[in-house]
Amino acid sequence: MNRVLNPAILTLCIAFLLAGVTVAQDATGGPKIVLPEPIHDAGVTPKGEKIAHEFVLRNEGAQELEIVDVRPACGCTVAEFDKSVAPGGEGKIHAVLDTTTFAGPISKGITVLTNDPVSPRLQLAIKADVQPYLFVQPGFARFIAPQHSDAGSVEQILFTRTFENLEVVKVETPYDFMTVDYRQATEQDDPRENAVGNQYVFNFNMDYDKAPIGTIADYVTIHTNHPDQPIIKVPVSGFVRPMIAVSPQEADFGEITAGEERQASMVIRSFAIEEIELTGAESTVPGVELDITPIEEGRRFNLSITLKPELPKGEFDGKIKITTNSNRKPMIEVPLRGSAI
């Protein structure tokens, strides 16, 4: 039985075929990216070393090749790349992989976006087997304490299994409130098994009197004479709390009506190891009455602030001074401001 193809369907099929031919022609006549070596294997790499490599790309098309973007994975950075490559020409992508935070076999990808209609997205990769020649145990230091606490210290032991004459050349600390001292280990320091040559004991010391309130996140860098891995970085992290925290941090009354009594309160909390008492409070602004009530003895207090009717008319910008029985933090100052109109 003969079947007659519907003219509309026939027309649609021809249109699709012609569109396919057009795309193929456009792809053939456009730019064409070729990557001779999309994967770079750096082999065994000492931990902490930066692997730098230039990937070569060729344009075997008839039009100019444009590198739209290069997106590296974590730990990998792209220093520079050629943004355009002429037909028949070569371009380069310079990438660097920092092995500081990696161990063992790794592979980090780099996504390349181009105007090649056939291959608009390609993948590069840097592979390595990251092996430490230097070891630090426990290998990290974490500090969490209130400001003005006693100095804190974390001990580390540095050793190697591959180099007899290990020596420490210098140590760099990321903060001026952190110091590091070291000495050669003895039998009393519980030296590590399977280590060879010299071992060293390090003490990472934190001065909480100098340390500002906030997060600690960086590395202590130890320089050695090891021929295969001269540098090892030890992460330091933590948080320095305020010794005494006030919430809210200021007493801002905004605009108030002169001659009317207004009240507010704030909570004062101690994070010190020892219990602390608040011994008094006074205001530099006249016409302000203050009252301290313990919520949790030695730890939490409520400060009641009353603006009395005799508060002078106009803007006021002063302080509330709270005294304590602590030699570390004998006074807390809280901004007090507003306007009586």
Side-chain angles (χ1 to χ4, degrees):
M1 180 178 179
N2 293 328
R3 294 182 178 177
V4 179
L5 191 62
N6 187 303
I9 297 176
L10 179 60
T11 302
L12 188 61
C13 291
I14 293 172
F16 277 123
L17 288 172
L18 291 175
V21 172
T22 302
V23 171
Q25 288 176 344
D26 289 344
T28 304
K32 181 181 179 182
I33 185 171
V34 175
L35 298 170
E37 184 195 3
I39 299 175
H40 173 65
D41 193 342
V44 177
T45 303
K47 185 179 178 70
E49 185 172 291
K50 292 183 178 179
I51 304 170
H53 182 71
E54 281 192 343
F55 291 95
V56 176
L57 55 92
R58 294 200 300 266
N59 180 9
E60 296 185 357
Q63 295 181 13
E64 187 170 12
L65 174 69
E66 295 180 1
I67 309 301
V68 179
D69 197 9
V70 179
R71 300 172 182 173
C74 65
C76 195
T77 58
V78 174
E80 57 184 0
F81 62 91
D82 293 322
K83 295 185 178 180
S84 62
V85 181
E90 282 189 351
K92 294 180 180 179
I93 297 175
H94 183 74
V96 179
L97 174 60
D98 188 348
T99 64
T100 300
T101 59
F102 301 114
I106 61 170
S107 179
K108 296 298 176 182
I110 301 169
T111 302
V112 182
L113 305 179
T114 78
N115 68 334
D116 184 335
V118 176
S119 303
R121 179 187 292 261
L122 291 173
Q123 199 74 15
L124 304 174
I126 298 179
K127 299 174 62 178
D129 185 5
V130 182
Q131 294 295 328
Y133 293 93
L134 292 174
F135 299 86
V136 174
Q137 292 181 353
F140 65 93
R142 186 161 176 80
F143 299 90
I144 299 179
Q147 198 177 36
H148 307 299
S149 297
D150 292 334
S153 183
V154 176
E155 185 177 279
Q156 312 278 342
I157 292 187
L158 170 71
F159 62 97
T160 179
R161 297 191 175 108
T162 58
F163 185 55
E164 287 282 350
N165 301 313
L166 180 67
E167 293 181 5
V168 177
V169 177
K170 67 175 180 178
V171 179
E172 295 175 325
T173 62
Y175 304 111
D176 59 3
F177 51 84
M178 178 182 294
T179 60
V180 176
D181 56 71
Y182 62 91
R183 58 179 173 78
Q184 194 166 324
T186 65
E187 290 297 327
Q188 287 71 36
D189 294 309
D190 187 24
R192 298 305 184 250
E193 295 181 2
N194 301 322
V196 300
N198 300 329
Q199 301 183 44
Y200 292 87
V201 176
F202 287 77
N203 283 291
F204 293 8
N205 309 305
M206 174 72 72
D207 187 341
Y208 288 107
D209 279 326
K210 294 181 179 179
I213 296 168
T215 302
I216 300 167
D218 215 314
Y219 293 88
V220 167
T221 304
I222 302 173
H223 297 257
T224 76
N225 67 335
H226 197 295
D228 296 307
Q229 185 184 347
I231 292 175
I232 187 167
K233 293 186 175 183
V234 184
V236 292
S237 61
F239 192 83
V240 179
R241 294 192 181 115
M243 185 175 178
I244 300 176
V246 180
S247 180
Q249 296 181 347
E250 61 179 36
D252 191 343
F253 282 84
E255 289 188 355
I256 63 171
T257 302
E260 291 187 0
E261 185 171 291
R262 294 287 297 273
Q263 287 189 329
S265 65
M266 52 181 51
V267 175
I268 301 168
R269 183 175 180 181
S270 168
F271 292 99
I273 297 174
E274 70 278 8
E275 291 188 352
I276 291 179
E277 296 299 328
L278 304 186
T279 57
E282 62 178 21
S283 169
T284 61
V285 176
V288 178
E289 186 177 278
L290 305 171
D291 183 56
I292 298 172
T293 305
I295 301 172
E296 179 184 352
E297 199 67 41
R299 292 296 171 192
R300 294 175 64 209
F301 305 85
N302 182 80
L303 175 65
S304 176
I305 308 165
T306 304
L307 304 185
K308 305 299 287 183
E310 54 267 28
L311 177 76
K313 191 174 182 179
E315 291 187 2
F316 55 93
D317 189 356
K319 294 180 180 179
I320 297 172
K321 297 183 177 182
I322 306 165
T323 55
T324 80
N325 66 342
S326 171
N327 292 330
R328 302 175 191 267
K329 192 74 172 177
M331 179 175 290
I332 313 154
E333 293 187 349
V334 181
L336 172 64
R337 58 177 60 97
S339 179
I341 59 175

